[in-house]
Amino acid sequence: MIISNISFKNKKFHILFDNGEEIDISEETLIEFGLYKGQEVEDEIIEKLKFEDEKSNALLIAYKFLQRNKTEKQLIDHLYKNKVSKNIIDIIIPILNEKKYLNDEDYARRYLYDAMNIKKYGKIKIIYMLRSKGVDNRIIEKIMKDYDYELEYLNAEKLISKKLDANEKDLKKINSAKKYLQSRGFEFEIVNFIVDEYLSGESYV
């Protein structure tokens, strides 16, 4: 089979063969295989071209997605949404891990910091969110050793002060505020302690 024409369109190189077959490949794949007009290629080369180009495209999708810190599971889900095959995903994940583009422990530590300092989530919600993002339980257990219980206390105080007046007596409002703290991931015992302390005037807020 002979390459009868090579043209460039839509950010791809269009390869036309003398038997009428045609494929679109990236510049990287074109260079890797050293393709040129008039070149004779075996049938199996075309399949390799398609495979290598699919892998190249998948890596480009991954690199773009990983410009923001993501977990391995988040990346895999994103690749599936972009119709990347499981076979290709299984090939590129080790490549990305080797190049340090993926690091779930680093992601988890960053998430823990942001969750406590910016989002002001409690322990339960942080663990839930990390699991939902595919972080392994062993990593979660490891990074949660750095959980700042003093900051948790201060966060809960700040949140409750926005929901209740310090002299609030309405049980309905108090219970609603407690449910709000629980929805933010604070444990039941901590919620009760913080609210009771706040209403007793012992809070530092």
Side-chain angles (χ1 to χ4, degrees), residues 10-154:
N10 299 325
K11 299 180 180 180
K12 288 277 192 176
F13 283 90
H14 183 74
I15 312 295
L16 177 65
F17 297 94
D18 60 351
N19 67 348
E21 187 168 354
E22 50 191 343
I23 60 172
D24 292 318
I25 62 174
S26 66
E27 181 179 10
E28 180 183 31
T29 303
L30 181 79
I31 294 172
E32 181 181 348
F33 282 81
L35 302 177
Y36 56 88
K37 184 178 179 179
Q39 180 182 9
E40 184 174 359
V41 296
E42 302 294 331
D43 289 348
E44 60 266 23
I45 294 297
I46 295 178
E47 292 306 313
K48 287 182 179 180
L49 286 172
K50 292 177 181 178
F51 175 81
E52 288 300 323
D53 196 55
E54 186 180 353
K55 185 177 78 173
S56 176
N57 285 336
L59 283 169
L60 287 174
I61 292 170
Y63 291 142
K64 185 176 180 179
F65 186 67
L66 292 173
Q67 287 177 353
R68 299 185 67 181
N69 204 25
K70 299 292 182 181
T71 66
E72 184 174 310
K73 179 182 182 300
Q74 287 174 312
L75 173 61
I76 291 172
D77 290 344
H78 181 71
L79 291 171
Y80 275 129
K81 287 179 182 178
N82 281 272
K83 304 188 185 307
V84 177
S85 69
K86 183 180 184 303
N87 184 36
I88 293 295
I89 291 174
D90 289 343
I91 290 172
I92 70 169
I93 291 298
I95 294 173
L96 294 167
N97 274 312
E98 184 178 348
K99 293 184 176 182
K100 309 297 183 185
Y101 280 96
L102 285 171
N103 187 326
D104 280 6
E105 183 175 332
D106 179 63
Y107 175 91
R109 291 192 181 282
R110 290 170 183 261
Y111 185 88
L112 174 62
Y113 179 86
D114 289 346
M116 296 201 72
N117 289 277
I118 300 173
K119 297 177 180 178
K120 293 179 170 51
Y121 287 162
K123 183 178 180 180
I124 294 173
K125 186 160 187 174
I126 292 173
I127 292 174
Y128 170 80
M129 292 301 293
L130 287 171
R131 284 175 177 163
S132 73
K133 296 173 188 297
V135 178
D136 188 271
N137 281 331
R138 288 170 296 181
I139 293 176
I140 294 175
E141 289 176 9
K142 182 178 180 179
I143 66 108
M144 289 305 289
K145 291 177 182 178
D146 295 330
Y147 188 74
D148 189 336
Y149 288 93
E150 183 177 350
L151 180 56
E152 174 188 52
Y153 177 89
L154 294 173

